Amino acid sequence: MHLSNPSGPFQGLPKEDVFFASSDDFIQLGYGYVVLSMQAKLYPERPLQIYINIEAQPAARSLLLGALLARAEVLRAGFANVKGRIYTRIESNNWDLLNFYTKCGFVNNNAEEEYIFSLSEEKAQTPPMGCQFASVPLQDTQQCADFLSRLNAFRLSPIPMDYLTLQMQQPYFMALGFYRGGQPLAEMIMSGSSPQAAGLITMYVQPEYRRRGLGKALVKCGASLLKSRGLHQCIAQIYANNPAQVGLLKSLGASRRRIVAMLPGIDIG
């Protein structure tokens, strides 16, 4: 088999971060790529997050994984002494691929999980003292880009502009936040197309304002608005190894419904 890089950027990624595998007859067998991100706000103890993805026939997986791990080491060298994690994302029913990664030393100790909770019958929540509760201004492209930048600082998988635009077209879309002096303390997106249930798409709380109940208060404010529009349930997807996310949903009375995807990985540093 043979490995090669594309001649130019591939799906927006630098060509050196992408590898194609082909047979001895130069029949393409698949590809893989690596993406580095710093997630100091999401995972302060392991901020260096290196995502790898392989889309290939089984015969080419090992060759591609070796190339991706070698590339990951090159990328990691630029962040000496910074702890991190190399990980991938696998659909919850893809046991074949999970078996491949675990045999290669990856540990299956994280997952994306879906929780569901009932929207409270309580009266509309009041914001914490000194905070203003308001809709996020999304009147132009720059405001949308700024909002995405704030959200994505707390996510492993960035939300693209196209996805935000799609959600803004949904009948139950809300982008809400708590602000002080015009500066965001916490923001979130709730959205949905069906009156059966809405989704808590994403939320963050600035690190210096955590453990003060801001996240729970913000969700409850949004839940009150959704309840007034006839909705009764909300669905959220979180990372299983993020205690803050799990704790927030349990404090709202949420129950785990299913595993959406598995995130096996290797700790580095």
Side-chain angles (χ1 to χ4, degrees):
M1 285 188 286
H2 304 273
L3 276 176
S4 61
N5 298 109
S7 57
F10 176 79
Q11 296 182 5
L13 299 173
K15 63 180 184 178
E16 58 269 23
D17 294 341
V18 182
F19 296 88
F20 289 100
S22 60
S23 68
D24 291 337
D25 297 325
F26 294 98
I27 297 173
Q28 186 170 320
L29 300 176
Y31 66 91
Y33 59 81
V34 58
V35 179
L36 180 148
S37 66
M38 293 297 294
Q39 297 291 342
K41 295 181 178 179
L42 184 61
Y43 290 115
E45 294 182 358
R46 291 192 174 276
L48 183 63
Q49 297 288 318
I50 302 178
Y51 172 71
I52 65 173
N53 184 57
I54 295 175
E55 302 286 346
Q57 296 182 25
R61 288 174 183 168
S62 295
L63 183 64
L64 285 167
L65 179 60
L68 295 175
L69 292 177
R71 179 59 184 164
E73 281 297 311
V74 173
L75 294 172
R76 178 192 173 196
F79 300 88
N81 302 319
V82 178
K83 292 185 177 181
R85 182 171 174 81
I86 300 172
Y87 72 100
T88 190
R89 184 182 189 277
I90 304 172
E91 295 301 318
S92 60
N93 60 352
N94 195 336
W95 301 108
D96 174 57
L97 200 54
L98 178 62
N99 186 53
F100 165 73
Y101 278 107
T102 54
K103 283 186 175 180
C104 293
F106 283 61
V107 178
N108 185 31
N109 60 359
N110 193 14
E112 290 181 43
E113 298 180 333
E114 183 176 276
Y115 281 71
I116 187 167
F117 60 96
S118 298
L119 299 179
S120 175
E121 297 282 355
E122 298 175 4
K123 294 181 180 179
Q125 297 288 306
T126 56
M129 184 175 297
C131 294
Q132 178 187 8
F133 176 57
S135 295
V136 180
L138 300 172
Q139 275 71 48
D140 57 43
T141 302
Q142 187 59 54
Q143 289 180 338
C144 291
D146 291 344
F147 181 45
L148 284 179
S149 178
R150 297 193 298 271
L151 292 174
N152 287 335
F154 299 89
R155 293 181 57 86
L156 281 179
S157 53
I159 295 176
M161 182 67 75
D162 288 349
Y163 183 80
L164 176 60
T165 301
L166 175 63
Q167 294 303 324
M168 291 172 66
Q169 296 169 355
Q170 303 305 312
Y172 298 104
F173 172 82
M174 297 188 301
L176 306 168
F178 286 147
Y179 302 87
R180 179 174 292 161
Q183 297 301 310
L185 310 185
E187 294 178 308
M188 71 174 181
I189 293 175
M190 285 179 150
S191 183
S193 59
S194 166
Q196 303 304 314
L200 173 56
I201 306 300
T202 189
M203 185 188 73
Y204 76 88
V205 178
Q206 293 288 358
E208 60 269 31
Y209 293 100
R210 292 176 182 170
R211 299 188 180 183
R212 302 185 188 184
L214 281 184
K216 184 176 181 179
L218 182 57
V219 173
K220 284 197 165 187
C221 284
S224 295
L225 293 175
L226 289 174
K227 184 72 175 179
S228 69
R229 297 174 64 181
L231 279 78
H232 298 281
Q233 292 183 313
C234 188
I235 297 168
Q237 293 182 0
I238 63 171
Y239 300 121
N241 72 351
N242 189 307
Q245 293 181 349
V246 175
L248 170 62
L249 288 181
K250 288 187 174 180
S251 74
L252 294 167
S255 58
R256 191 177 74 167
R257 192 157 75 162
R258 66 188 180 103
I259 295 175
V260 178
M262 298 172 284
L263 302 169
I266 301 172
D267 289 341
I268 52 177

